[in-house]
Amino acid sequence: MRKLSRRDFLGMSIKTGAATMFAGMFAPTATSLMGLGGVAHASTKKITPFTFAVLTDAHLYDISDHKFDAILEKAVSDVNSIQPRPDFVLYGGDLGQSGKKEELVKGKRILDKLKMPYKIILGEHDYYLDMGKAWRGLFGDEHWSFDHKGTHIIGMNSILVNDFWSLRKLTPLERMGYMEELECHQCGLWGVQEKQLDWLEKDVKKLSPDMPILIMTHSPLWDYYPRWNFQTVDAPEIRQILRKFEKVMAIHGHVHQVVYNSIGNISSAGLLSTSWPWPYPPVDLPYPNIKMNRVDPGDFEDGLGSHKIDLSSNFDGVVNYRAFSDLLPDNVKRGIKL
Amino acid sequence: MKNIHEFATFKNASSAACAVVVLVAMGSVNAKTPPTSAELEDQKNMLMSAVKRGDDLWHSAKLGSNGLACGNCHPDGSATNPHTWPKYQSNLGKVGTLREMINWCISVPLVGTPLALDSDEMIAMEAYTMYTHRGVAIAPAKDEQHGGTPVVSGPGYPNAHGGNR
Ligand SMILES: [Fe+2]
Ligand SMILES: [Fe+2]
């Protein structure tokens, strides 16, 4: 019921399978065309400025001395070297490649070298072998929130698809194999689903509208390119729940690339991976100037990186992409506003 | 007489005219029998089984030694730009072909053994990525080297299942 009423309220069509497998549904809207920082948020509560770091999409294999291990190690050292030291680190999902416990254990061992606390969310590559069992054993809850220096920070599991495996009688390994393909044609669109929507609604219920909100999901909270699950199917519901806030910053992994969008009160940035970069899908970017350049496949670090995000007392955010190569156009190098 | 009769069944006037010209030039009435629709269907199926085999290889770690598959980095065959070859490619250091670049990617990102350029596997790899780009205009050297934006160009290939194959 909730889904219907929210969608009706937003005047959005319900997505039904392949017919809506196209992107750009929400982008750019009139509001988003107001440009970076165009949304009014002057009255957002003052916060104590702080810096945090973000890493995502390591895709570790259960193979010793794999090149991706070294890249994640490098990203961890890079974050440890940032001065002044970031308060904490957020990790955006796809720590493993095939959902194996060994991959996640290796990932945790590397992430534990961070000199600051970190919080982590799930990506599809962590989940579909055992439906998150090993991951939860290592990292705890699939969704969480905490307050830090006046900002409310939320992490959610956005990669839940409907059961496509039971009817096909797939083994867990086969199910994982399907999900490992970005262009999986049988897996369907994913989202956070009803239970987490209920949780989110309760989580923010008592917060006042001037509370600054930061939310991290694995996939973008807007329809970018559904064919590759560059979307979250219940993003309209999430945006509706968060609508009361003056300003919401969203960050996401999964896309392995620089991308930006702004919808209503939410601005959103996609992040670099530490495994491989992805080409841009064949849709118009809502903000065409915010992107990365073409990558040299002969340079294994090209297209990869870590991130530092600075928040000012007015809750203005700047994402600094710390690319491991000369990858970024100058405007992105200078940092993009969230 | 049989051949003449078949010409009359050509729907396309210009190809019929063309065939007549060839006939006249050769001074013969022995024209080739056009394939039946069943034969055409067979031929299409053979192509599609090469595409399917290519899709399997594309998403398989077997071509390499580090667990990676082409599909990790090239979903839907994206960023391989089959319509731009042959062209100068800086990783090859010369004007090369799509097949040479496929082998370069097997050797370097996948740390595997290159395929024979005329092997069935190589033809299948090529068939897959060409098929995902059907309808895209041929444009040799269109893309800049490592500058500009990498994009997906083709409509893709809707396979029936996922990886681990
Ligand atoms: Fe990923
Ligand atoms: Fe992902």
Side-chain angles (χ1 to χ4, degrees), chain B residues 54-117:
Chain B
D55 177 45
D56 288 345
L57 286 167
W58 200 265
H59 294 97
S60 155
K62 285 183 218 123
L63 287 175
S65 65
N66 58 5
L68 300 195
C70 313
N72 286 36
C73 304
H74 299 288
D76 286 321
S78 56
T80 59
N81 306 311
H83 55 296
T84 65
W85 299 89
K87 66 179 173 188
Y88 180 85
Q89 220 288 348
S90 52
N91 302 110
L92 300 174
K94 62 163 192 164
V95 174
T97 63
L98 175 60
R99 292 187 188 187
E100 288 173 304
M101 191 60 196
I102 288 173
N103 265 345
W104 184 90
C105 265
I106 292 175
S107 311
V108 182
L110 263 61
V111 197
T113 311
L115 298 169
L117 286 176

Side-chain angles (χ1 to χ4, degrees), chain A residues 53-275:
Chain A
V54 196
L55 299 175
T56 192
D57 293 271
H59 291 261
L60 300 180
Y61 280 81
D62 181 25
I63 295 175
S64 51
D65 300 322
H66 195 273
K67 64 176 172 181
F68 295 168
D69 304 356
I71 301 171
L72 180 58
E73 296 266 11
K74 176 175 171 148
V76 165
S77 318
D78 177 58
V79 165
N80 282 339
S81 76
I82 297 172
Q83 289 300 334
R85 185 167 289 170
D87 289 3
F88 57 85
V89 181
L90 299 181
Y91 191 88
D94 285 351
L95 181 58
Q97 166 68 15
S98 316
K100 284 181 166 181
K101 187 169 180 187
E102 292 79 0
E103 299 165 359
L104 300 172
V105 166
K106 174 156 79 177
K108 183 168 188 300
R109 200 169 56 230
I110 300 174
L111 290 179
D112 284 348
K113 295 181 186 174
L114 286 166
K115 291 180 181 155
M116 50 300 262
Y118 66 91
K119 288 295 271 181
I120 179 167
I121 55 166
L122 276 159
E124 78 279 16
H125 286 266
D126 305 318
Y127 189 78
Y128 282 96
L129 187 60
D130 63 3
M131 306 305 280
K133 190 161 172 273
W135 191 95
R136 285 187 299 273
L138 291 165
F139 299 114
D141 290 339
E142 293 181 16
H143 54 73
W144 39 258
S145 70
F146 64 97
D147 288 348
H148 185 77
K149 295 187 176 169
T151 300
H152 187 68
I153 301 163
I154 300 167
M156 290 174 89
N157 173 4
S158 70
I159 52 85
L160 298 171
V161 295
N162 292 329
D163 183 344
F164 64 87
W165 49 88
S166 296
L167 270 177
R168 292 188 175 85
K169 299 195 168 46
L170 300 184
T171 64
L173 191 65
E174 287 168 333
R175 175 179 61 209
M176 185 68 237
Y178 273 49
M179 291 300 296
E180 270 184 64
E181 280 187 24
L182 190 66
E183 70 269 47
C184 173
H185 300 293
Q186 305 297 329
C187 303
L189 300 176
W190 65 36
V192 302
Q193 297 190 345
E194 202 67 12
K195 269 211 285 223
Q196 284 190 97
L197 287 175
D198 288 341
W199 171 81
L200 180 66
E201 200 155 36
K202 282 195 203 101
D203 184 68
V204 301
K205 194 168 194 140
K206 292 202 183 108
L207 302 178
S208 88
D210 62 357
M211 183 78 176
I213 305 287
L214 178 79
I215 180 167
M216 177 173 65
T217 46
H218 184 59
S219 48
L221 293 179
W222 54 285
D223 260 27
Y224 179 10
Y225 191 55
R227 183 182 170 87
W228 293 350
N229 258 318
F230 284 11
Q231 62 88 45
T232 303
V233 81
D234 30 26
E237 283 81 4
I238 295 175
R239 294 203 303 266
Q240 176 59 21
I241 294 171
L242 299 179
R243 235 168 94 102
K244 69 170 185 177
F245 295 104
E246 268 147 28
K247 189 172 180 190
V248 179
M249 290 182 198
I251 52 173
H252 62 87
H254 187 59
V255 296
H256 298 210
Q257 62 188 222
V258 173
V259 65
Y260 175 88
N261 200 0
S262 163
I263 298 177
N265 59 338
I266 305 188
S267 55
S268 151
L271 305 168
L272 297 172
S273 78
T274 62
S275 49

